[in-house]
Amino acid sequence: MITIIRNAKVYQPEYAGIKDVMLIGSQIGALGENLKADLGGAVEVKEIDGAGLILIPGIIDSHEHILGGGGEGGFHTRTPEATLTGLTLNGVTTVVGCIGTDGVARNMEALLAKAHALEEEGVTTYVYTGSYRVPVHTITGDVMRDIMLLDKVIGVGEVAISDHRSSQPTFEEFARIAADIRVGGMLSGKAGIVNVHMGDGPRMMDFIWRTVRETEIPFSQFLPTHVGRNAALFESALEFAKAGGTIDFTGSLDDDDEVPVSKGILRLLDAGVSSDHFTISSDGQGSLPIFNEKGEFQGLGVGNASCLLKELRECVNKAGLPLELALKPLTSNPARILKLARKGRILPGCDGDICLLREEDLSLHTVIAKGQIMVAEGTAVVRG
């Protein structure tokens, strides 16, 4: 199957002009003008009119609870699993699954099976091994063996610190996890990332700072997430990013964040942080509990991948960021940080993961994952 998208405004995520993009099978075959493919009818050639549309790389959601989450309000508040259309109708073509608070009823075997199921349905999937808990519960017995022996495992997480729901690991336990996953990543050619759940406790990012200051483990081994949870945590994360680390914003479905994503990104840029050093993920399907000052459960929300395109629009329309910059934390940045070599870019040889957005409002028009059309004119044509 060959698909040619004609006359779209192409963002790689850098703006490349009005171009044609040719997909050959599951990969991008060519980028140029007036592209043609004539194989005498031996291979079907489909053309899509991209006039009035913006072509971008498929979105990478680097933190989603694809198994659902264990609700902190009891068994009846367990949140549902991700679905294929819950991803594709929000532009997500690559997702990294993780386990949060509940590492018992939601386990690594089930997470890996869910990742394989979504992959078979049409999107690309990876996982973090473990959950909030330390010692880390793995499949093979330790984090190094998981990352080396299981293709989909690219790191460990989401390890919780500075949170009343964490297992309150010691600094030595935390540093050992980072050391083991780093070496396992090196030996397997993977990122070896420690995805760190940041709670709103007063210790904030102390363990991460101590690890990079007191050991030889570099900033690049950590991806702290939920950094906009409160103003003090954001300031610590800003200093971490200024020092060379990468931080992850959690998208929101409303505007009551302490540090909204678009405003946080503006703060980073104003402070001189490189646009390469932050990402945005959804925390999709995760339980979003509300606690009072005594730590008592008050209510629960559920994360959703729809926040990603919302944050993209707000970065452009509210914060005034250029589209190519607003795209980076959803595409090329997570691809580079997580060492997903064929993801996050519109270049020949990359996977055929593409979103077409309407130019007037950046709403979703078409989604293609690994060369297969999943969403056409805003409607899912492939369902799980």
Side-chain angles (χ1 to χ4, degrees):
M1 175 71 177
I2 293 176
T3 303
I4 302 175
I5 305 167
R6 297 203 180 278
N7 301 315
K9 289 187 174 180
V10 175
Y11 285 79
Q12 300 179 281
E14 302 83 11
Y15 183 55
I18 297 177
K19 303 284 186 183
D20 296 348
V21 176
M22 180 185 293
L23 304 178
I24 302 176
S26 64
Q27 294 190 342
I28 298 173
L31 172 69
E33 298 177 2
N34 300 315
L35 297 180
K36 296 180 181 179
D38 185 3
L39 300 178
V43 176
E44 180 185 359
V45 179
K46 179 179 180 61
E47 295 199 4
I48 298 174
D49 182 9
L53 300 175
I54 292 171
L55 187 151
I56 67 171
I59 291 174
I60 301 170
D61 190 355
S62 61
H63 183 111
E64 177 153 347
H65 296 269
I66 58 175
L67 269 184
E72 287 85 341
F75 289 121
H76 70 286
T77 63
R78 285 162 56 93
T79 62
E81 295 187 5
T83 63
L84 178 70
T85 52
L87 298 171
T88 57
L89 285 171
N90 292 301
V92 176
T93 57
T94 300
V95 64
V96 184
C98 61
I99 300 174
T101 316
D102 181 7
V104 177
R106 312 284 190 181
N107 59 42
M108 278 304 301
E109 289 82 359
L111 179 65
L112 193 60
K114 178 65 177 182
H116 279 291
L118 289 170
E119 183 98 27
E120 290 176 5
E121 289 179 335
V123 296
T124 301
T125 59
Y126 300 94
V127 300
Y128 295 117
T129 189
S131 63
Y132 275 19
R133 302 172 66 190
V134 176
V136 177
H137 286 202
T138 64
I139 291 179
T140 64
D142 64 52
V143 296
M144 190 181 297
R145 289 177 64 85
D146 269 21
I147 195 171
M148 290 186 65
L149 301 179
L150 302 173
D151 288 346
K152 287 197 174 297
V153 175
I154 59 173
V156 62
E158 58 174 313
V159 177
I161 61 175
S162 300
D163 195 303
H164 63 95
R165 295 167 293 168
S166 83
S167 54
Q168 307 305 323
T170 66
F171 168 70
E172 289 73 19
E173 288 175 318
F174 183 80
R176 176 58 60 86
I177 291 169
D180 285 352
I181 203 69
R182 173 173 171 78
V183 174
M186 293 169 64
L187 294 173
S188 61
K190 298 177 183 177
I193 286 290
V194 185
N195 184 258
V196 186
H197 165 98
M198 298 306 310
D200 56 6
R203 290 178 294 170
M204 295 184 289
M205 298 178 64
D206 284 357
F207 275 10
I208 302 176
W209 280 112
R210 283 188 63 187
T211 304
V212 297
R213 287 168 175 164
E214 298 178 24
T215 76
E216 295 73 33
I217 298 170
F219 288 103
S220 58
Q221 222 60 48
F222 300 96
L223 185 59
T225 188
H226 316 320
V227 297
R229 186 184 296 278
N230 61 54
L233 174 60
F234 176 75
E235 293 301 324
S236 180
L238 186 154
E239 292 303 316
F240 183 76
K242 285 173 65 176
T246 299
I247 59 176
D248 181 57
F249 290 95
T250 301
S252 172
L253 297 179
D254 51 45
D255 295 317
D256 62 0
D257 312 60
E258 184 70 30
V259 182
V261 174
S262 59
K263 292 183 179 179
I265 289 175
L266 283 178
R267 285 282 313 281
L268 292 174
L269 297 173
D270 288 345
V273 174
S274 167
S275 60
D276 293 335
H277 284 264
F278 49 85
T279 60
I280 305 172
S281 63
S282 74
D283 206 15
Q285 306 309 124
S287 60
L288 307 178
I290 302 168
F291 298 96
N292 63 20
E293 65 279 0
K294 297 178 181 180
E296 297 168 335
F297 178 79
Q298 301 296 297
L300 186 80
V302 181
N304 195 297
S306 62
C307 66
L308 299 175
L309 283 173
K310 166 189 169 288
E311 298 296 359
L312 175 67
R313 288 189 286 268
E314 292 200 351
C315 282
V316 173
N317 298 328
K318 289 188 177 181
L321 295 177
L323 179 59
E324 56 198 73
L325 192 155
L327 285 169
K328 291 178 69 174
L330 295 167
T331 58
S332 59
N333 285 358
R336 186 189 69 258
I337 293 157
L338 300 177
K339 291 190 176 181
L340 310 181
R342 296 193 301 273
K343 300 295 184 181
R345 306 280 300 172
I346 302 296
L347 288 172
C350 286
D351 286 348
D353 296 342
I354 286 172
C355 293
L356 292 172
L357 308 179
R358 296 178 180 87
E359 189 173 357
E360 64 270 17
D361 60 1
L362 299 182
S363 62
L364 192 69
H365 182 279
T366 298
V367 177
I368 301 173
K370 293 184 287 187
Q372 181 180 13
I373 298 174
M374 311 296 285
V375 176
E377 298 186 12
T379 301
V381 295
V382 176
R383 293 183 176 273

